[in-house]
Amino acid sequence: MKLIKLTAISAAVLASSAALAAEPVIVVDGNEAVVYEAEPVAVAYQAQPGYADDADAGVVGNTLGGTKGFFKQVVNPASVSAEVGTLGYGANIGWSLNEKTELQAGWAGGDVADLFGGDFDANDVNYDVDSDFSNPYLGVQLRPTGNWFTMGAGIIVPDNDFDVRANAKGPNFRINNVDYNAAETGTLEGTMEHRNKLAPYATIGFRPNITNNFGLFGEIGAAYMGQTDATVTSSNANGNVTATTVNGTTTVKGSDVAKAAEKELEDKDWLEWMPIVKVGATYRF
C-alpha cells in the first residue's frame, strides 16, 4: 500500500509546476510523517543547426577555381587590349590568375601583307602578296620578375591565305635555274597556306603601366606555322613555252612552268616560322 502511495506521489510531483516541484512535499502515512524533497528536473534542449544556403561556399575569391568563381571571372575580365602586328589587327581579353600570371584569349587578322612589304622572293622569282589572315589564339602572359618584362606562350589556330603573283625579271621567269619565257608563260599566280592547324608560339616583351588603368605593350617572338601548300596556275597553261638551261633550250607547257613555281614555293617553306611583332594598348579594370 505504501508502494502504491509513493508511486502516485512521484507522478504528482513530476506533473506539478516548476515552482511546486521546488517545494518540499510532506506525506502523512499512518502515524509517520515522511518528507520528500522534490528534485528540480532540468531538461536541456539542444538546438539542431539549421540548414543555411551559403551562396559563396567553396568559392575562392578572385580566382578561376570553382564553377561560380570561373563564370564570375569570365564575365569580369581583368583587362582588354587592342593590337596590331604581323599576325594582323586585333584584340584580346585577359583574366588574372595571380599577380604575375594572366590568361589571354584573342584574335588578330585581316590583310596585313603591307606590314612586311607586300612582296617576297622565292629564290629568283619575286611575288606580290595579298593576305587574308585569321589568327584566334589562347595563351598565358607571365611577369616572371613582377615588373614590365613579360614572357608569353600559347597556341594559335591559323587560317591564313596568301594570294601570290609572280613578277618576271626581264624577259624570263627564272625557276630552279631554268629561264622560262615570260611572254609565252603568261601570268603566274596562285595561293599559299600553312599546313599546321595548331601553331605554338612564344614571345617576350614589355608592358608598362601609364596609369592605374591604362598601359602599353610590345612583343616580339615567333609561331611555328609549318610547311606551306601552294597552288600556282598559268594563264597560258596549254601553250608552248621556251625553257633555257645551261644545256640548251627545250619546249614545255605553261602548266609545267606553274608546277615548277609551285614546287619552289613549297620547298622554300616561306614563313614556316611566322615572326610575331606587335604593339598595342591595354585597359585594366
Side-chain angles (χ1 to χ4, degrees):
M1 199 60 192
K2 181 182 291 187
L3 179 61
I4 295 174
K5 289 181 179 180
L6 290 175
T7 302
I9 291 170
S10 298
V13 170
L14 292 175
S16 64
S17 64
L20 184 59
E23 296 292 332
V25 178
I26 301 174
V27 177
V28 177
D29 181 21
N31 297 323
E32 297 180 358
V34 181
V35 179
Y36 295 92
E37 184 77 22
E39 296 293 336
V41 178
V43 180
Y45 296 92
Q46 183 173 359
Q48 296 298 320
Y51 177 78
D53 186 7
D54 185 358
D56 295 324
V59 177
V60 180
N62 200 30
T63 70
L64 294 179
T67 303
K68 284 190 175 182
F70 174 80
F71 286 108
K72 182 178 180 180
Q73 292 297 319
V74 166
V75 299
N76 293 284
S79 65
V80 293
S81 302
E83 64 183 58
V84 58
T86 52
L87 292 179
Y89 308 89
N92 68 62
I93 301 175
W95 295 271
S96 293
L97 302 182
N98 53 51
E99 292 181 355
K100 295 184 179 181
T101 308
E102 185 173 273
L103 179 67
Q104 291 183 338
W107 177 91
D111 185 358
V112 295
D114 290 338
L115 292 177
F116 45 85
D119 67 341
F120 72 98
D121 292 325
N123 294 335
D124 294 318
V125 181
N126 177 264
Y127 289 89
D128 291 329
V129 182
D130 288 323
S131 62
D132 183 14
F133 277 16
S134 177
N135 291 295
Y137 62 88
L138 180 66
V140 176
Q141 194 73 225
L142 303 175
R143 294 179 184 259
T145 57
N147 56 17
W148 294 2
F149 176 71
T150 62
M151 299 176 64
I155 292 292
I156 301 172
V157 186
D159 184 13
N160 301 324
D161 296 323
F162 303 89
D163 294 327
V164 296
R165 180 173 176 146
N167 297 313
K169 291 184 178 180
N172 299 315
F173 292 112
R174 177 175 280 271
I175 303 173
N176 197 23
N177 296 321
V178 178
D179 290 323
Y180 299 98
N181 185 284
E184 295 172 349
T185 301
T187 301
L188 285 178
E189 58 185 2
T191 61
M192 296 172 57
E193 64 179 0
H194 291 105
R195 296 176 184 175
N196 281 10
K197 302 306 179 184
L198 293 175
Y201 74 87
T203 62
I204 58 173
F206 66 98
R207 289 179 172 263
N209 293 324
I210 306 303
T211 68
N212 287 337
N213 301 105
F214 182 73
L216 302 175
F217 68 88
E219 294 179 43
I220 60 172
Y224 182 69
M225 298 290 188
Q227 295 179 325
T228 55
D229 288 324
T231 301
V232 179
T233 60
S234 166
S235 61
N236 188 27
N238 296 318
N240 292 327
V241 178
T242 301
T244 304
T245 68
V246 294
N247 298 320
T249 61
T250 186
T251 300
V252 297
K253 296 295 184 180
S255 58
D256 295 325
V257 181
K259 287 180 180 179
E262 185 177 291
K263 185 176 186 304
E264 191 172 60
L265 284 172
E266 292 184 345
D267 288 345
K268 183 175 175 60
D269 290 332
W270 186 65
L271 294 182
E272 179 179 2
W273 286 92
M274 182 76 176
I276 297 176
V277 180
K278 63 181 177 179
V279 294
T282 297
Y283 183 84
R284 295 193 172 278
F285 298 100

